[in-house]
Amino acid sequence: MKTMYKSIAFVFALFCSLLLWGQQNIYEPLKNNTAGPKAIYDSPFGNIDSIVKAEKVLNSENAKSFYSRSNYAVWSILSSGKVYFDGTLTDYLNGIVDKLLKSKPDIRSKIKVYAVKNSSVNAITYPNGYVFVNVGLLATLKNEDQLAYILAHEIVHFAKEHAKQSFGKEIFVSEAENGFENKNASAYRHLKYSRENEFESDAAGLQLVINSPYNAEMAKEALRFLDNSDSLIFTPNFEEIFNNAIFKVDTAWVASAADSIWKNKFIKQNKNKEYVFYDKQEDIYSTHPDIEKRVLAITEILKANEYKSPANSSTEGYKAIKEIAEHELVYNLYTNESYTISFYYCLKYSSLYPNDAYYHIYLLKNLYMLGYLKSVDQLDESISDYGYSSERGINITHYFLASTNSTELKKMAYGCMKQYADNLGKNEDFLFYQALLTDTYLGKEAASAYYIKYANAFPNGKYIAFVKRKQTSIL
Amino acid sequence: MKKGIVFILIASIFSGCVSVVKVQKSEDYIKDKSSVKKVICIAPELVYFKGSNLSAIDFKKTFDYQSFLFKRLEKYSSKAANFKFEIYHPLYSDTLGADYFNSLLPLKSELLETLFERDINVNNPQYIRSLNTVQKSVFAEPPKISPEYAYLSSIYGTPYFSWYGIVTSNGLSVVTFVIVNVETTEVVVREIIFANKRINKRNLPPLIYDSFTLIK
C-alpha cells in the first residue's frame, strides 16, 4: 500500500514539475527602484570650492582641475543609466565591503560601492570614494573571496589617494624638467606611477583580506581572472544550437573557419613574443604590472606572513550572484546594442544552462537585431579584440555572422524560434518575437495570426502598441 | 581699377571669417507632421571643449551652456513647430523617477546608434561617412530601433522620443538631432550638422529653430 502511495506521489510530483516547466519563471532583468543618489541631481562642481579649500597636497589651481575632472567623471557614470543604484548586486557588494572594513569605520563611511552595467572584467575607483564594479567581473569570478580581494584592492586606491598622488607627482616632475620634455614623457611617467600604485594596492588590499574572514589565497586567482580568464574561453557550437528541420549549419565550414581564425591570429601575435623567458610583452607601456609579477609578489607576502587559509569556502554562496550577473551581462550587452557579443554569451550560457529559457529569448532578440543590421549593411564584420581570453569564441561568432547573409540570418532566427515554440509558447516575449521573426522572414501576412495571438493573450502587454500598428497595416 | 582692387582685398580678408555650416544629414520620414504634439527629449547634451581640439572639456561652460540649451529647446519647439518638447535631465527635471534610468537612458543609447548607422542605403553601399562627404542616399525605409521600447508610449503619452546633442570647440562643432517613434520603431527626424566655428549663445537658437522646422 505504501509503495502505491509513493508511486502516486511520484507521478503527481512529476506532473507538477512538468506543469511548472511549461510555465517556467524566466529571469527578469534587475531594475533600479530609486532614482539614484543625490549627487546626480546637483552640479558636479557645486562643492569644488570647499574641497579645494580643504586640500593639503595640491595647490588650489591643480586641486580645482583634479577634483573637477574626477567629480565630472563620477557624475557622468552615475547619470549614464549604467549603474545599479540598489538591488541584489549593489547590496551584495556593500555587504562584502562592510566585512572588509569592519575595523575601519572612518574609511567605510566614505566608500560608496555600486555594480555597473559594463561587460569588461574590471572594477574602478574614483578619488571621491566611488567604487564601480562591472557586472562582467561578477559573472567571471568563481567565489566571494576573489571578489573581496578585488574590492580590497580598490579600497586601497581610495584610502591611499593614489590618483591624487600620481597627479601631484606628475605636475612636480614635469615642472622640474621643463624645457627638456619628451612629448611622451608625461604618459610614461603616468604609467610608471600607476604600476607602483597597483603593487601598493595589491599588498595593502591583501592585508585587508588577511584581517577579514575571507581567504587571501584567492587573491592570486582573482588577479589571473583580470588578465586571462579561462572561464571565458568558449567556442560556440552553432551546429548543436541551430540545426533543425528549417536551418542546417555547415559543420565542416564552421570547424575550418574556427581553426583558421584562431591559428592565423595567434601565430601572428606570437611571432612578436620571442623573449629569453618567453615572457609577455614588457609592462612599461601598461598601467598595470605584469600579472605574473603581481601573483609572485602576493605569494611572497603570504609566505612572509605565514598565512593559513580559513576553512570555510564561499563558492556556494557566490553561485546565485554569479548567475544573476550572467543574466545581466546578456541583457546589458543587448540594451547597449552589442548584439554580436550578447548573442555570443547567449550561446555560451545556453550550453551551460540548457533549461534556462531566458537565454533562448535573448538569442531570438539578438538574432532579430542582427538580421536587421545585416540588411542595412551595419553589422560589424571586423575580427574583434574584445578581451584577450574571450577572443577565440567572439571572433568565431563575428566570423560566423559576417559569413551569413541577411536572409540566412532571418531564416536562422525563424528556425530557432520554431525550435523553442513548444517550451516557450506562453511567454510574452516569445509570443511577440514569434510574430516579429515570422514577419521579418516570411512577411506580415504570414505573421498576422501570431500578432493576433499576442494581442489576445496580452491586451495590455509591453509590445501591444507595436502590434496594434502592425495589425492596422495588415488590414 | 583701384576700387576693384580694394574690393578684392576687403573681400579676401572677410572670406576668412565666413563660417561654414555643412548639413551632413537632414531627413524627416513623417507622413502626418501634425500628429507630433509632444516629444520626450532624453538627456540632451552640450559639451564645450577648450580651444580647438576635442580633448579637454571646459566644465564650467559646459554646464552653463547646457541650461541655456534646455531653455531654448523648450522655447523653440513651441515657436517653430508647435509641439511640446519635454526634457528629462537630472539637472533640469524635478520629476525624474527610476524609470528614467531603467528605460529612457537605454532608449537614448539606441537613438544615438540611429544617427550615424542603420541607413538602408540602396544606391551606394560603399559610401564614405566623413565631414567632407555629403551623403547622397536613397532610402528604402527609415532607420529602425529595437521594438523593446514600444510600451513607453502609454507611460509618457506620446510615441515620440528624441535626443539633441552638441559638441563644440573653436574649430569644429557638431549638432545632432533625432526623433523616433517607439510604436513603429522608426526614425522620424534625423539631422547632423557640422560647422567650422564654435557654437555660442548667439548662433545656437537659429540652429535649434531650423532643426525644429523639420517637423513643421
Side-chain angles (χ1 to χ4, degrees), chain B:
Chain B
M1 182 67 180
K2 267 187 185 173
K3 273 185 185 172
I5 291 167
V6 171
F7 174 77
I8 290 166
L9 277 173
I10 293 171
S12 63
I13 289 164
F14 279 99
S15 68
C17 305
V18 172
S19 57
V20 176
V21 173
K22 188 166 267 181
V23 179
Q24 176 85 355
K25 282 178 191 170
S26 187
E27 306 151 0
D28 72 275
Y29 300 93
I30 192 160
K31 286 174 203 156
D32 178 17
K33 292 187 179 180
S34 63
S35 68
V36 184
K37 301 266 185 240
K38 180 178 163 188
V39 177
I40 304 295
C41 185
I42 311 163
E45 281 170 85
L46 189 150
V47 184
Y48 195 103
F49 285 93
K50 289 175 184 168
S52 57
N53 57 24
L54 301 178
S55 56
I57 299 173
D58 186 327
F59 298 114
K60 197 167 176 277
K61 286 217 165 128
T62 291
F63 277 79
D64 175 35
Y65 266 70
Q66 271 196 4
S67 57
F68 178 79
L69 171 74
F70 299 158
K71 282 173 193 153
R72 288 299 177 276
L73 285 173
E74 281 189 340
K75 184 179 171 185
Y76 289 108
S77 56
S78 57
K79 210 172 168 183
N82 200 24
F83 65 88
K84 195 180 177 204
F85 207 61
E86 234 173 67
I87 293 171
Y88 284 74
H89 191 285
L91 296 180
Y92 194 67
S93 335
D94 302 326
T95 52
L96 284 191
D99 192 53
Y100 171 76
F101 298 95
N102 295 332
S103 310
L104 291 185
L105 287 174
L107 172 58
K108 178 189 159 184
S109 154
E110 280 239 24
L111 296 185
L112 300 185
E113 286 290 309
T114 61
L115 269 166
F116 292 93
E117 307 289 332
R118 303 189 184 181
D119 303 346
I120 297 197
N121 192 342
V122 292
N123 63 337
N124 180 12
Q126 299 295 316
Y127 68 90
I128 304 156
R129 289 177 225 106
S130 77
L131 175 58
N132 299 318
T133 313
V134 175
Q135 183 190 310
K136 287 173 186 159
S137 323
V138 173
F139 293 100
E141 55 183 19
K144 280 184 187 172
I145 60 165
S146 80
E148 297 293 319
Y149 304 97
Y151 68 98
L152 289 175
S153 63
S154 62
I155 298 172
Y156 291 90
T158 176
Y160 301 109
F161 289 77
S162 90
W163 183 73
Y164 198 99
I166 296 172
V167 170
T168 183
S169 74
N170 280 345
L172 174 70
S173 297
V174 188
V175 181
T176 43
F177 178 43
V178 61
I179 303 181
V180 295
N181 180 336
V182 292
E183 289 183 359
T184 61
T185 71
E186 289 176 348
V187 166
V188 170
V189 164
R190 182 167 71 156
E191 190 172 60
I192 301 169
I193 298 169
F194 289 94
N196 68 348
K197 287 200 98 179
R198 186 180 281 290
I199 301 284
N200 56 37
K201 288 183 181 174
R202 271 222 320 254
N203 58 24
L204 178 59
L207 279 170
I208 297 172
Y209 192 94
D210 282 355
S211 298
F212 284 158
T213 51
L214 282 171
I215 352 171
K216 199 171 183 180

Side-chain angles (χ1 to χ4, degrees), chain A residues 12 68 98 158 191 222 269 313 369 426 430 448:
Chain A
F12 182 72
S68 294
D98 287 343
F158 165 73
L191 294 174
Q269 277 187 359
S313 165
M369 286 310 287
K426 288 172 186 169
F430 178 79
S448 131

Side-chain angles (χ1 to χ4, degrees), chain A residues 403-434:
Chain A
S403 311
T404 313
N405 69 35
S406 156
T407 309
E408 276 182 324
L409 262 175
K410 287 170 186 170
K411 183 177 177 180
M412 197 163 124
Y414 175 77
C416 204
M417 174 272 288
K418 284 281 170 194
Q419 236 177 325
Y420 300 144
D422 290 343
N423 286 338
L424 291 170
K426 288 172 186 169
N427 177 274
E428 181 182 0
D429 284 297
F430 178 79
L431 276 182
F432 174 71
Y433 276 89
Q434 186 175 36

Side-chain angles (χ1 to χ4, degrees), chain A residues 206-207 210 297-307:
Chain A
L206 194 68
Q207 207 55 55
I210 289 171
I298 283 174
T299 311
E300 291 290 352
I301 296 166
L302 289 176
K303 206 175 157 190
N305 277 272
E306 294 176 355
Y307 178 74

Side-chain angles (χ1 to χ4, degrees), chain A residues 275-291:
Chain A
Y275 302 107
V276 178
F277 299 111
Y278 299 98
D279 208 345
K280 280 189 187 170
Q281 204 175 346
E282 178 74 281
D283 63 8
I284 59 164
Y285 306 112
S286 170
T287 52
H288 289 61
D290 181 67
I291 286 289

